[in-house]
Amino acid sequence: MAKTPKFKNTKVQAWVDQWNKICTPEKIVVVTGTKEEHTAICEMMVKKGQFIKLDQKKRPGCYLARSHESDVARVEGRTFICSKNEIDAGPTNHWRDPVAMKKEMLRKYKGCMAGRTMYVIPFAMGPIGNPITQYGIEVTDSPYVVVNMNIMTRTGDAVMKHLDKGGDFVPCIHSVGAPLKKGQKDVAWPCAKKIDDKYITQFPEDGEIWSFGSGYGGNALLGKKCFALRIASKLAKDQGWMAEHMLILTLTSPEKKQYHVTAAFPSACGKTNLAMMLPKLPGWKLETIGDDIAWLKPGADGRLYAINPENGFFGVAPGTSQFSNPNALLSCRKNTIFTNVVLTPDGDIWWEDMGIDAPEEGVDWKGNPCYRCVDDKRRMGPKPGMTKKEVKELGYVAAHKNSRFTAPAVNCPVLDKAGFNGKFNGKPTGVPIDAILFGGRRPSTIPLVNEAKSWTHGVFMGSAAGSEVTAAVISDQIGQVRRDPMAMLPFFGYNVCDYFQHWLEMERTSVDPTKLPKIYFVNWFRKTAAGEFMWPGFGDNSRVLKWICDRIDGKVEANATAIGNLPYAKDISLENNDSEDPNFRVNEKFLQELVTVDVEGWKKEIATIGASYDEYDKKASKDTTVVNPAARRVPAALRGILAQVTAELGK
Ligand code: GTP
Ligand code: SPV
Ligand code: MN
C-alpha cells in the first residue's frame, strides 16, 4: 500500500488516508500546481498514449485526448442527490438514501486504484483569498482530471497553504473505476464502460462529492457542476446567496457606461458565445468574466454581486469559428487540452463549423481515419470520396458533438481581468449585476427578448425556461424540448420548488429590492417553418443587449404585453446591419415577428408551464416522510403569475 503523505489540515489528512486505504493506489502524488508539474503529467500521458501532443509551433502547450465511446458527456441518469429525505432532493433529481449509496459505492471503490497513482488536488473555486471563494480537495486516479483541473480551477500549493491554516473545504473523491492488475497495460481512456457502473453522487447535507466510473467533463472535474452548482446551490440556499449556471460579462457603451450582465442558458445553448461575443454594434465593448457559473451575493447596498468561481473554459468545440466566437478560438491557441476533436496531419485540430477547410485527411474522434467530402471542403466523412449528403445521412461527425476545449481564462483576449479576479473598484466584492438573462433553444413561440414586469415575474420566467436537449448530455431525447428551470435542471442540489422559493426570498430579504437586477428572457434560436434561423445571433445579440441597457437607463418605452415587456422593433438598433450574407444580417420582417406575441403558441406554452408545476407538486408526494402529501410545493407567487398571464392571454 502507498504511504499517506502528511498534511497539516487534519480533515485533509483523514480524507486522503481514508481513500488510500479503500482504493489501494500504487502511489500518491500531491498536486503542487507548478507549470513544470503540469507539463510533466501531460508528457507522461503522451508516453502512455493517452494524450497526443499537438504541433508545438502552432499550438504551444496543447494536447489532444480521445475519450472512450461510453464517456463523452454528462450522465444525468447516473447523477444522484443523496439527502436524508427524498423530498429534499425533489422531483427533478435522482434521489438515493445517503447511507445506502455510500455502502454501494464503497464496494465499487474497493481496490479501484490498484496499479494507479492517486493524485490529491487542492483547488479553489474563486480567486484565492476572496471572501466568496470556496475550497476543495479532489482525490483522483486520473491524470487527465489533474491537468484539466489545473486549467479549470486554481490548484496547488497556494490552496494547500490556505487549508494548512485550518480553512474548510469540500472533500471530493473520483475514480475512473478501472484498476490495473500487475503488469496490465493501461488503455488510452480508462473508465467504467457500462453506464450503470458510473456514479456522479452529491451528498449536499455532508458537503461531499463521490464520483466513479467516468473521466469526462462535469462528471469528473468535480469543482465544476458537482461543487460549484450542486453542492454550492445548497450552501447558497442555507446562507442566503445564489449559485447559478450563468455566464458573467461586462458591457461598456459608447458613452463609456459600464453594465454587468449574467445569463443562464442550458448546456450548449450559447453561454460561452455570449460571454466573449464581439459586438456588431459600433462603439460597444464586451468583456468576459465567466462563461458557465456565477456565484451571486447580496451586497450591503442591496445589489447582487457576482464572481466566476472557475479559472478556465470547458467550451463546446463544434460551431466555434472565427465568425461565431473568435475570442474562444484565440483562447485555445496555447496551453489548451482538446478532447474528441479531429487531428489533422500537421498536428493541429479541426471540427465541424470551425469556419476553415477540413484537411484532406485526418483522424476522427474515435481514432479512425476521416476524409474531406468531395462536394464540401468543410465536412468530413468516414470514407474517401463521400458527399456531404451521404455523410449527413450516416449521421456521422468527425469531431464529437460534445467535443470540447479546456482553455485557461487568462488566454481570453477580452477577459475583464479585475472582474475575473473578483474585484470591483478595487474591492473583492465581485461585480454588481444590472441584468439577469434566461434563455434556451426554442424554435418557436418565445420572443427575441422579453422583460419581466417584476422580480417575481422574472423568477416565473426562469422557472419556465426550457430548451431542446443538446449533446452535452448522454440522452435519447436530443432535440426534444424539455423544461429546464433557470438552466439548472441537471444541477439543482436540492428540491426545485425550494429553489424557486429561494429566488423569491432574495427579493423579500433584500435591503433594497429596487436595486436587484432586471430580469429578461431571450431566444436567439427561433426558426422559420423551413428550419432557418430567424435571428443571426452571435455578434448581432449585442443589439438585444443594447436594448436591455436602454431599458435599465429608462431610455426606451416597451410594449407591455400579457407575457411581459417586449421591445418595439424600432428600438432594436440596426446600425452596421450590412453583411453581404443574409444569414448574418437582421431581417426586418423576421424582427417584427420576433417581438410580437404569438398568442396561440403562448396559450400552449402556458399550459405546459402549468403542467410542469403540477408535475413537481405531484412527484413531491411520493416521499413517505412528507406529512401532508397533498401539500403544494411550487410557490403560490409563481402560480399567481401563471394565472395572471393565462387570464391576460385570454383577453
Ligand atoms: P455549455 O458549456 O454546455 O454550458 O454550453 P454553452 O451554453 O456555453 O454553449 P456555447 O456557447 O458553447 O454554444 C453551443 C452551441 O450554440 C455552439 O455550436 C454555438 O455555435 C451555438 N450558438 C451560440 N450562440 C448562438 C447564437 O446566438 N445563435 C445560434 N444560432 N447559435 C448559437
Ligand atoms: C454543461 O453541460 O453545462 C457543461 C459541460 O458546461 S460539463 O462540464 O461536462 O457539465
Ligand atoms: Mn455549462
Side-chain angles (χ1 to χ4, degrees), residues 462-493:
S463 79
S467 181
E468 292 174 319
V469 178
T470 65
V473 47
I474 295 177
S475 168
D476 52 11
Q477 292 171 13
I478 292 174
Q480 293 175 31
V481 172
R482 70 168 178 187
R483 290 280 149 214
D484 187 347
M486 281 80 169
M488 282 286 283
L489 182 71
F491 310 123
F492 295 122

Side-chain angles (χ1 to χ4, degrees), residues 436 438 447 449-465 486 503-504 507 517-521 559-566 602 606 609 613 637-646 648-649:
I436 294 175
F438 293 115
V449 53
N450 182 8
E451 182 187 80
K453 294 176 177 179
S454 64
W455 180 261
T456 306
H457 183 215
V459 177
F460 167 81
M461 281 180 168
S463 79
M486 281 80 169
W503 266 80
L504 297 171
E507 184 190 38
K518 282 168 95 76
I519 301 179
Y520 296 83
F521 202 104
N559 179 12
T561 74
I563 60 164
N565 300 329
L566 301 188
W602 265 95
I606 265 317
I609 296 168
Y613 284 5
L638 298 188
R639 289 275 186 186
I641 303 273
L642 182 77
Q644 203 177 318
V645 178
T646 311
E648 287 197 31
L649 279 168

Side-chain angles (χ1 to χ4, degrees), residues 74 224-225 229 245-246 265-269 271-272 291-293 310 314 316 404 472 487 491:
R74 284 184 293 101
K224 198 172 178 55
K225 307 301 178 163
L229 290 177
H245 191 200
M246 291 176 177
F265 308 153
S267 303
C269 288
K271 286 182 302 303
T272 302
D291 81 325
D292 200 51
I293 297 175
E310 299 193 278
F314 186 58
V316 178
R404 300 224 173 210
F491 310 123

Side-chain angles (χ1 to χ4, degrees), residues 282-340:
W284 287 78
K285 187 169 103 184
L286 186 148
E287 291 161 291
T288 314
I289 295 180
D291 81 325
D292 200 51
I293 297 175
W295 285 354
L296 302 105
K297 285 201 172 168
D301 57 358
R303 302 186 78 179
L304 285 183
Y305 287 80
I307 68 156
N308 167 18
E310 299 193 278
N311 192 42
F313 311 121
F314 186 58
V316 178
T320 304
S321 72
Q322 196 53 44
F323 160 73
S324 67
N325 196 348
N327 289 321
L329 274 191
L330 290 169
S331 300
C332 43
R333 269 225 316 233
K334 57 179 182 188
N335 303 329
T336 295
I337 296 162
F338 297 90
T339 308
N340 289 344

Side-chain angles (χ1 to χ4, degrees), residues 451-622:
E451 182 187 80
K453 294 176 177 179
S454 64
W455 180 261
T456 306
H457 183 215
V459 177
F460 167 81
M461 281 180 168
S463 79
S467 181
E468 292 174 319
V469 178
T470 65
V473 47
I474 295 177
S475 168
D476 52 11
Q477 292 171 13
I478 292 174
Q480 293 175 31
V481 172
R482 70 168 178 187
R483 290 280 149 214
D484 187 347
M486 281 80 169
M488 282 286 283
L489 182 71
F491 310 123
F492 295 122
Y494 61 101
N495 191 307
V496 60
C497 300
D498 299 342
Y499 170 90
F500 293 160
Q501 188 60 44
H502 180 56
W503 266 80
L504 297 171
E505 289 295 303
M506 294 308 291
E507 184 190 38
R508 201 182 61 80
T509 57
S510 173
V511 296
D512 184 355
T514 64
K515 299 267 180 61
L516 287 175
K518 282 168 95 76
I519 301 179
Y520 296 83
F521 202 104
V522 299
N523 181 20
W524 321 135
F525 298 93
R526 272 279 280 274
K527 284 182 175 168
T528 62
E532 303 289 332
F533 283 116
M534 294 170 71
W535 176 254
F538 306 103
D540 284 281
N541 296 336
S542 58
R543 305 182 193 282
V544 173
L545 294 183
K546 174 181 186 294
W547 182 77
I548 289 170
C549 294
D550 286 345
R551 287 292 296 164
I552 291 168
D553 294 339
K555 282 191 191 159
V556 289
E557 295 295 309
N559 179 12
T561 74
I563 60 164
N565 300 329
L566 301 188
Y568 293 109
K570 68 169 175 56
D571 292 326
I572 300 288
S573 169
L574 293 184
E575 223 185 316
N576 197 23
N577 187 37
D578 46 18
S579 171
E580 306 241 308
D581 186 333
N583 289 319
F584 306 143
R585 200 165 63 213
V586 177
N587 172 319
E588 293 186 49
K589 201 179 101 232
F590 286 163
L591 176 59
Q592 189 54 56
E593 200 181 326
L594 288 170
V595 296
T596 305
V597 183
D598 164 9
V599 176
E600 288 318 304
W602 265 95
K603 283 184 180 163
K604 284 188 207 129
E605 178 70 12
I606 265 317
T608 66
I609 296 168
S612 75
Y613 284 5
D614 292 347
E615 186 75 12
Y616 298 152
D617 277 340
K618 200 169 90 202
K619 277 197 192 154
S621 63
K622 271 195 329 195

